[in-house]
């Protein structure tokens, strides 16, 4: 049986740029002012023969990639790909707010949360899903342009839609940083030239090229352990009890995650 891979399948020809998905996401996830977890890109208007000028709208968010450069850039293991869902997650207890992952994302899908002092991005509305609801952007869309689900489950709506359009699927990628995104557009989408090359910190790039994921995290933690604790004390207000719990749990979470990833 294939491991789950939650993803978005989008018919961007249905998008009317109402921004309902963007607004509902900000409310549902308490996204701070000036930042967004999702977006709608606009193509340059083109002239369609006999139909006048037209414009294409492209919904997007974190792509939950199969080859996530943000994971490779993280020095503490806070950003990781969950084998149980295929989603790229952020462990706020391990994040030191260094910003490496932000520059390493070709899609600009991450930002530093000003209050929490950690990296933040789309998590497909984890709190809503915990209550049996879909992501806010999916439920809000009036034209049902977005479909969410496990594309490795042949009975899911997302998998059925993807299979029915397999020869017409488009993925937005940066050719120098193809992270193999799990956001699939049906038939066509535009624009396609807005991504950027992933920027990896030089020491992390060398380590990512040379080490296995488990060793990379271990080396990163060993080299940055003291900095991580100092950074969290300076950047994140927290109680003494929380700090002690975080220090005790940090190594356990990374060890457990490495075991899941290697399995």
């Amino acid at each position: 049986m294939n491991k789950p891979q939650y993803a978005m399948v989008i018919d961007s020809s249905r998008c009317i740029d109402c921004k309902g998905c963007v607004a509902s996401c900000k409310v549902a996830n308490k996204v701070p002012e000036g930042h967004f977890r999702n977006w709608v890109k606009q193509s340059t208007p083109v002239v369609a023969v006999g139909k006048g000028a037209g414009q294409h709208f492209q919904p997007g968010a974190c792509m939950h990639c199969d080859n996530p450069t943000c994971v490779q850039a993280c020095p503490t293991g806070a950003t990781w790909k969950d084998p149980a869902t295929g989603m790229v997650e952020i462990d706020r207890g391990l994040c030191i707010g260094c910003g490496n992952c932000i520059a390493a994302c070709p899609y600009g899908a991450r930002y530093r949360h000003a209050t929490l002092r950690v990296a933040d991005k789309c998590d497909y509305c984890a709190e809503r899903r915990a209550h049996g609801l879909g992501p806010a952007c999916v439920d809000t869309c009036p034209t049902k342009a977005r479909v969410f689900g496990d594309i490795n489950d042949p009975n899911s709506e997302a998998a059925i839609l993807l299979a029915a359009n397999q020869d017409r699927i488009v993925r937005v990628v940066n050719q120098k940083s193809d992270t193999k995104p799990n956001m699939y557009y049906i038939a066509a989408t535009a624009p396609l030239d807005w991504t950027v090359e992933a920027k990896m910190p030089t020491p992390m790039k060398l380590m990512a090229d040379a080490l296995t994921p488990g060793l990379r995290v271990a080396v990163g933690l060993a080299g940055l352990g003291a900095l991580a604790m100092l950074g969290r004390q300076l950047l994140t207000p927290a109680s003494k009890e929380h700090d002690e719990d975080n220090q005790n749990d940090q190594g356990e979470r990374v060890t457990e995650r490495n075991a899941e990833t290697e399995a």
Side-chain angles (χ1 to χ4, degrees):
M1 180 181 295
N2 292 329
K3 291 183 178 181
Q5 177 59 67
Y6 285 90
M8 285 276 187
V9 182
I10 299 175
D11 185 349
S12 54
S13 68
R14 293 189 173 200
C15 180
I16 57 176
D17 197 29
C18 69
K19 297 292 195 301
C21 56
V22 178
S24 64
C25 172
K26 286 186 71 71
V27 172
N29 297 289
K30 300 179 178 61
V31 179
E33 184 177 356
H35 297 287
F36 301 90
R37 282 187 169 193
N38 66 353
W39 57 80
V40 178
K41 300 285 184 182
Q42 298 181 359
S43 68
T44 301
V46 296
V47 176
V49 178
K51 297 182 180 180
Q55 192 167 19
H56 201 96
F57 304 113
Q58 181 188 88
C62 172
M63 307 282 180
H64 294 277
C65 307
D66 282 337
N67 182 33
T69 44
C70 57
V71 171
Q72 298 168 25
C74 180
T76 67
T79 289
W80 61 296
K81 189 170 175 68
D82 187 350
T85 63
M87 294 166 49
V88 175
E89 303 275 14
I90 299 175
D91 186 333
R92 289 178 174 175
L94 293 176
C95 181
I96 59 175
C98 67
N100 283 2
C101 63
I102 296 173
C105 175
Y107 302 101
R110 291 168 168 258
Y111 66 93
R112 186 183 286 104
H113 197 292
T115 303
L116 301 176
R117 305 290 187 179
V118 295
D120 192 40
K121 68 172 190 68
C122 165
D123 60 2
Y124 292 142
C125 291
E127 291 188 7
R128 288 176 55 86
R129 289 187 292 108
H131 290 85
L133 302 172
C137 60
V138 174
D139 289 352
T140 301
C141 181
T143 62
K144 303 306 176 187
R146 297 174 182 251
V147 175
F148 168 76
D150 178 6
I151 58 174
N152 286 339
D153 175 3
N155 297 315
S156 74
E157 184 180 359
I160 292 171
L161 186 60
L162 187 61
N165 295 277
Q166 194 60 53
D167 59 343
R168 303 194 306 147
I169 293 297
V170 175
R171 292 198 291 183
V172 179
V173 299
N174 182 281
Q175 294 305 314
K176 293 183 179 180
S177 305
D178 184 0
T179 56
K180 299 187 179 352
N182 281 297
M183 186 165 287
Y184 302 86
Y185 295 92
I186 296 174
T189 192
L192 294 173
D193 59 354
W194 57 270
T195 63
V196 299
E197 182 180 358
K199 299 298 182 184
M200 294 279 284
T202 301
M204 292 303 298
K205 185 177 188 306
L206 293 174
M207 189 164 64
D209 292 341
L211 302 179
T212 64
L215 285 175
R216 183 173 65 246
V217 171
V219 173
L221 284 174
L224 292 174
L227 178 61
M229 292 303 100
L230 176 61
R232 286 197 59 76
Q233 290 175 7
L234 292 177
L235 297 177
T236 306
S239 66
K240 180 179 179 182
E241 179 180 357
H242 173 78
D243 287 342
E244 291 175 351
D245 289 342
N246 183 64
Q247 291 180 39
N248 291 334
D249 293 344
Q250 184 178 28
E252 295 178 5
R253 283 201 297 271
V254 174
T255 300
E256 292 172 357
R257 190 169 308 142
N258 290 342
E260 291 176 355
T261 302
E262 292 170 358

